[in-house]
Amino acid sequence: ASIGQTLFIENQVLTESDAKAVIEYLDGLLVHVAPKTLFTITELKQAEDHTFWATIRLLAGQLFISHDGAQSPQIRIETDAGIAGVRGTMMSVKVTLSGRVIVTCLAGTCALENEHGLIVLEAGQQAEILNAATPPVFLGLIADYQLNEWFANHPDALLAALNSGLIVQLPE
């Protein structure tokens, strides 16, 4: 891929160990792609009410999703173990080498589900699915190293973490 390249359904994106990418959709949806990430765009559509829908098949690595437009998009991140969903919030989805799926919700509301269960997350929370045969499990608050992943991969993460109360700004 190159800067300004248009992506289509069934396009696959791979970032190398020293690369990052940002995919910007016309409605304001942003997908920040961490190094060593592989995914396929499987669905893109706009409903009659102008709501944007997207589905991404995440095979490995980590995506950081946010939206800055007026309409709230419906985005699904599919993995072998389950599906993560975001609606106008900030969410990351990570697939590890073992297939474990970890979702962090930095702002708003996010969901992680498979055929064994559903977990809805609020700002500052995380959940995981170990594999396709296990239900999602609530893990509590986002860990410091996960916040650092956000800060390293998304320019608006610091402000979102401040607004969500995950970090506090000390007076000067």
Side-chain angles (χ1 to χ4, degrees), residues 42-111:
T42 58
E43 180 182 36
L44 295 171
K45 64 182 178 178
Q46 190 169 15
E48 288 181 22
D49 67 355
H50 301 288
T51 302
F52 177 76
W53 291 83
T55 303
I56 294 174
R57 178 86 177 141
L58 180 59
L59 303 168
Q62 189 167 14
L63 302 174
F64 298 84
I65 299 118
S66 64
H67 186 260
D68 62 3
Q71 286 281 4
S72 182
Q74 311 289 322
I75 183 163
R76 293 167 37 115
I77 308 298
E78 296 178 344
T79 71
D80 287 342
I83 298 168
V86 60
R87 290 178 175 89
T89 63
M90 294 180 77
M91 173 184 78
S92 79
V93 182
K94 179 187 249 182
V95 175
T96 67
L97 292 176
S98 68
R100 177 179 171 217
V101 176
I102 304 155
V103 169
T104 61
C105 191
L106 191 63
T109 304
C110 310

Side-chain angles (χ1 to χ4, degrees), residues 101-149:
V101 176
I102 304 155
V103 169
T104 61
C105 191
L106 191 63
T109 304
C110 310
L112 180 60
E113 70 177 304
N114 65 11
E115 64 185 45
H116 303 289
L118 164 71
I119 289 186
V120 176
L121 301 171
E122 300 298 325
Q125 297 179 335
Q126 63 171 315
E128 73 175 357
I129 299 176
L130 292 177
N131 57 54
T134 62
V137 176
F138 178 71
L139 297 177
L141 293 177
I142 295 174
D144 288 345
Y145 80 90
Q146 292 166 316
L147 282 174
N148 288 331
E149 289 175 342

